Amino acid sequence: MASSTFSPKRFARDVLRNRSATAGVAIIGFMTLAMIFGPSILPYDPNDMDFMAILEVPSWTHPFGTDAVGRDVLARVLYGARISMLVTIVGVALGGAAGTLIGMTSGFVGTWVDPVVMRIVDLLMAFPIFVLALFLMLVLGFGIQPVIFAIALVYVPNFARLARNTTLSVKEEPYVQAARLMGQSNLRIMLREILPNIAAPMFVQLTVGFAFGIVIEAGLSFLGLGVQPPDPSLGVVMADGKDYFLAHPWVITLTGLTLMVIILGLNLLGDGLRDILDPRLRKRSMA
Amino acid sequence: MGFIWYLIIRLGGALVTIAIGAVFVFILMQLIPGDPAIAALGENATDENVAAFRRVHGLDQPLPVQFWIWLTGIVQGDFGTSITLAQGYPVWDLMVQRLPNTLFIAVYALLIAVVIAFFAGSIAALRQGKMSDTAATSASVLGISMPDFWLSYVLILVFSLGLGVLPAFGFTSPMVSFSGALVNGALPAFAIAAPMAGVFARILRAALLETKRRDYVTAARSFGFRDTFVYMHYIFRNALIPFVTVIGVQVRYLVGGTVIIERIFGIAGLGSMMVDGAFGRDYAVVQACMLAFLVFVLGVNLIVDIICAFLDPRRTH
């Protein structure tokens, strides 16, 4: 499938025909709207304390209740989800871009470069993913920017391996050979011929990467290594909630539920996109 | 003979990865901002004390020499001494105390996930397209989407606070009481298991569906074998290979889960040790935990390779 045949119209139709993708788009669409417009619709600022309304149970005035200093939990969750999503998207996208570039070059150049790069990738993929992120936080320091870089670095090997393997499979295709015979430069061949043809699996990997990336962000912030309070991220709000969880369980439960819905949406979208974009898998799942 | 060679090559590969991993961890540790001597002695340390500390811990030596001292120490089981977490206590002794707890929870979780996946995946594949398939498939996606640390609190809410059947916090080491560890470890193990079970069930379902339509299965059916016999001997056995392979891949995510879960449930394991070490800037502890986790993941993958070699002997050639 050459890239020039990609039509946004057909892609949209495929998405709507795929149950999983439609559900994912609906969930992520709803959550995105809530994240963008929610904080301005709600009459509360995520950092406004109200000492007359401490640890209130969920009600019409405070749908997710209030926390230990009377902050509206829903406002904090929506605002926090915004930060969590932003951190994750930037982190995974950075890691995806770097990983794709490294993997594509490694697969295309071959020679001694490829085995060396793949050894490093194998090594990084032998560390538990959250442990590696935790370790990187120690090197990079705590806070928002380090979380972004930690997520990016953790994802580089995943993308590099996928990009390298898919590059190997298209490298000997006639259109690449043709470009080579025409005397095009390696860089041009990689960007014009190979990248468009390995884009689909990378795109699917990106969606799946967002789903676990947001878990890494929330986990690191939950431990206190990531986004620093009072700025809310989903992990920060959950960490607040854990201190009084036994008596007032809704703060952590509802915040985590929001996180789960976002992850669910991303997973459904990823599943759907995989079916749509990867004809090889589509054949298999139809059988 | 083929199998022994296969094993030796795999083992050698794992050892090389561990060695490169040690270099990687050592180099990154050097990039951590701040002076380990100051971190250990505090901001008010005198210059003489700092110099003495550096001399004692070999920090005044060139980096390759430091690395060599560290590496030869590790080979002899000397991971240095803990500075802030357990002052002056050998890191190796800390690890020996905590490793059984982490291993227990990890294996417990893995077993729960495999059992759930076995039933969910089989039901989904055998009743493809029916209600039970939809239910099992949906439950899998839901399971995959649950952050394990959030699930921990939900489980505590339901089983400890609500039903009062399982303890919420505190953990008995399996070295002290195995049955106590089984009861106390049930919630943390399940929290780690749920997302994995989802992944495993999906893979098993896909693998079963793929095998179901193979020619040898049709042939076996035509011989008049009973359905359960065909399922166990022809379909399930061959679908096991991708299933077992995925366990090796997922271990990367599983062990990461223990880091937070151990802290939530108050389990004295390697994961909580690493987090405490990170907060206390106890570099020897963090370094040792990184290597321990690396060895764990590689070990599981080695076992997975061996199981796969048994299931499909062609792999060893």
Side-chain angles (χ1 to χ4, degrees):
Chain A
M1 185 179 74
S3 60
S4 53
T5 60
F6 179 83
S7 109
K9 214 179 196 176
R10 201 183 62 201
F11 179 68
R13 201 190 56 208
D14 283 343
V15 168
L16 287 177
R17 269 195 197 153
N18 185 296
R19 255 196 308 175
S20 183
T22 314
V25 167
I27 293 175
I28 295 302
F30 175 76
M31 294 308 285
T32 309
L33 288 179
M35 271 179 248
I36 294 173
F37 298 109
S40 38
I41 294 173
L42 282 173
Y44 313 101
D45 185 87
N47 283 328
D48 267 356
M49 303 180 199
D50 178 0
F51 291 104
M52 302 305 284
I54 284 170
L55 288 169
E56 280 191 4
V57 292
S59 64
W60 283 112
T61 41
H62 297 285
F64 278 18
T66 59
D67 70 4
V69 287
R71 292 176 294 200
D72 181 67
V73 175
L74 181 60
R76 286 183 70 70
V77 165
L78 289 178
Y79 200 78
R82 208 192 257 187
I83 296 182
S84 291
M85 278 302 272
L86 218 61
V87 166
T88 309
I89 290 174
V90 176
V92 177
L94 274 179
T100 306
L101 198 68
I102 293 171
M104 200 165 65
T105 313
S106 175
F108 186 74
V109 173
T111 65
W112 59 271
V113 178
D114 191 42
V116 170
V117 171
M118 282 306 115
R119 279 280 90 182
I120 298 171
V121 165
D122 283 346
L123 169 72
L124 291 175
M125 290 189 82
F127 284 107
I129 197 158
F130 194 78
V131 170
L132 188 60
L134 187 73
F135 181 65
L136 289 170
M137 292 305 289
L138 200 61
V139 178
L140 299 165
F142 307 161
I144 288 193
Q145 269 174 339
V147 181
I148 294 177
F149 283 115
I151 292 177
L153 289 171
V154 159
Y155 271 106
V156 167
N158 292 32
F159 282 94
R161 179 179 281 178
L162 185 65
R164 182 255 186 184
N165 291 344
T166 42
T167 300
L168 285 186
S169 67
V170 299
K171 188 175 150 182
E172 305 301 331
E173 294 284 325
Y175 53 81
V176 178
Q177 303 288 1
R180 228 182 234 159
L181 288 173
M182 281 155 71
Q184 292 183 2
S185 72
N186 283 348
L187 187 70
R188 194 185 149 93
I189 296 177
M190 280 205 288
L191 293 180
R192 295 288 299 270
E193 307 297 335
I194 294 187
L195 188 60
N197 285 291
I198 66 167
M202 304 316 291
F203 193 59
V204 174
Q205 177 79 8
L206 211 55
T207 321
V208 181
F210 290 146
F212 196 74
I214 200 165
V215 179
I216 299 179
E217 186 285 315
L220 288 174
S221 300
F222 180 74
L223 286 175
L225 298 167
V227 177
Q228 297 296 312
D231 279 338
S233 89
L234 291 174
V236 171
V237 183
M238 287 176 79
D240 288 343
K242 79 166 189 278
D243 296 335
Y244 36 85
F245 162 72
L246 290 177
H248 312 282
W250 60 85
V251 177
I252 194 165
T253 328
L254 293 174
T255 310
L257 191 67
T258 314
L259 175 61
M260 196 202 86
V261 171
I262 295 176
I263 300 169
L264 182 68
L266 289 169
N267 277 331
L268 289 171
L269 187 61
D271 284 351
L273 288 180
R274 182 174 299 144
D275 288 346
I276 297 167
L277 294 173
D278 196 335
R280 197 165 41 88
L281 282 172
R282 177 159 40 181
K283 229 180 279 160
R284 195 187 296 170
S285 64
M286 262 165 30
Chain B
M1 205 51 215
F3 181 72
I4 301 289
W5 275 113
Y6 177 76
L7 199 63
I8 291 172
I9 291 167
R10 279 298 149 112
L11 204 60
L15 285 176
V16 170
T17 311
I18 292 171
I20 305 173
V23 180
F24 170 76
V25 170
F26 183 83
I27 292 173
L28 275 190
M29 292 301 287
Q30 308 306 317
L31 296 177
I32 295 178
D35 184 345
I38 304 279
L41 301 171
E43 298 283 340
N44 302 323
T46 61
D47 287 349
E48 294 90 68
N49 284 347
V50 170
F53 182 92
R54 307 194 65 135
R55 206 165 43 244
V56 170
H57 288 85
L59 295 174
D60 52 350
Q61 305 281 341
L63 275 186
V65 178
Q66 282 190 43
F67 177 70
W68 183 248
I69 295 172
W70 181 64
L71 196 69
T72 46
I74 288 175
V75 175
Q76 296 162 29
D78 175 13
F79 282 83
T81 47
S82 160
I83 296 166
T84 53
L85 199 61
Q87 286 159 0
Y89 207 74
V91 173
W92 174 255
D93 292 359
L94 281 177
M95 291 218 296
V96 170
Q97 283 168 18
R98 286 163 171 256
L99 188 65
N101 295 344
T102 299
L103 275 182
F104 180 84
I105 292 293
V107 173
Y108 197 178
L110 202 57
L111 286 179
I112 295 176
V114 168
V115 171
I116 295 176
F118 171 75
F119 286 106
S122 302
I123 290 170
L126 291 177
R127 310 214 179 292
Q128 191 194 0
K130 304 229 174 75
M131 272 296 282
S132 39
D133 178 22
T134 314
T137 314
S138 313
S140 300
V141 184
L142 210 59
I144 294 171
S145 307
M146 286 184 187
D148 43 15
F149 58 102
W150 171 69
L151 186 59
S152 303
Y153 284 100
V154 175
L155 290 172
I156 293 173
L157 195 62
V158 175
F159 290 98
S160 305
L161 302 181
L163 302 172
V165 285
L166 287 167
F169 303 106
F171 179 69
T172 320
S173 169
M175 308 297 273
V176 178
S177 156
F178 196 78
S179 56
L182 274 181
V183 174
N184 287 317
L187 291 186
F190 187 79
I192 301 172
M196 273 196 301
V199 179
F200 294 171
R202 276 158 57 119
I203 293 290
L204 185 61
R205 176 181 180 273
L208 287 171
L209 289 180
E210 173 96 32
T211 341
K212 223 167 83 171
R213 54 186 185 86
R214 289 280 169 83
D215 291 342
Y216 54 78
V217 174
T218 318
R221 283 231 170 80
S222 72
F223 294 154
F225 291 147
R226 269 181 298 134
D227 280 353
T228 41
F229 183 84
V230 173
Y231 179 71
M232 289 314 289
H233 287 259
Y234 288 86
I235 302 178
F236 189 70
R237 199 191 135 101
N238 286 296
L240 263 182
I241 293 171
F243 183 56
V244 175
T245 310
V246 154
I247 292 177
V249 178
Q250 279 297 308
V251 151
R252 253 188 111 208
Y253 296 86
L254 148 82
V255 190
T258 63
V259 173
I260 308 185
I261 305 291
E262 283 181 357
R263 269 202 134 208
I264 294 173
F265 287 93
I267 300 168
L270 281 186
S272 54
M273 177 166 136
M274 184 170 169
V275 178
D276 293 338
F279 273 115
R281 308 226 160 251
D282 204 334
Y283 299 144
V285 166
V286 175
Q287 228 165 345
C289 288
M290 279 295 279
L291 283 185
F293 280 121
L294 178 66
V295 171
F296 183 83
V297 172
L298 290 172
V300 171
N301 275 292
L302 199 64
I303 296 171
V304 164
D305 283 344
I306 293 171
I307 296 175
C308 285
F310 270 114
L311 290 171
D312 183 5
R314 278 174 305 179
R315 285 183 179 225
T316 59
H317 293 316

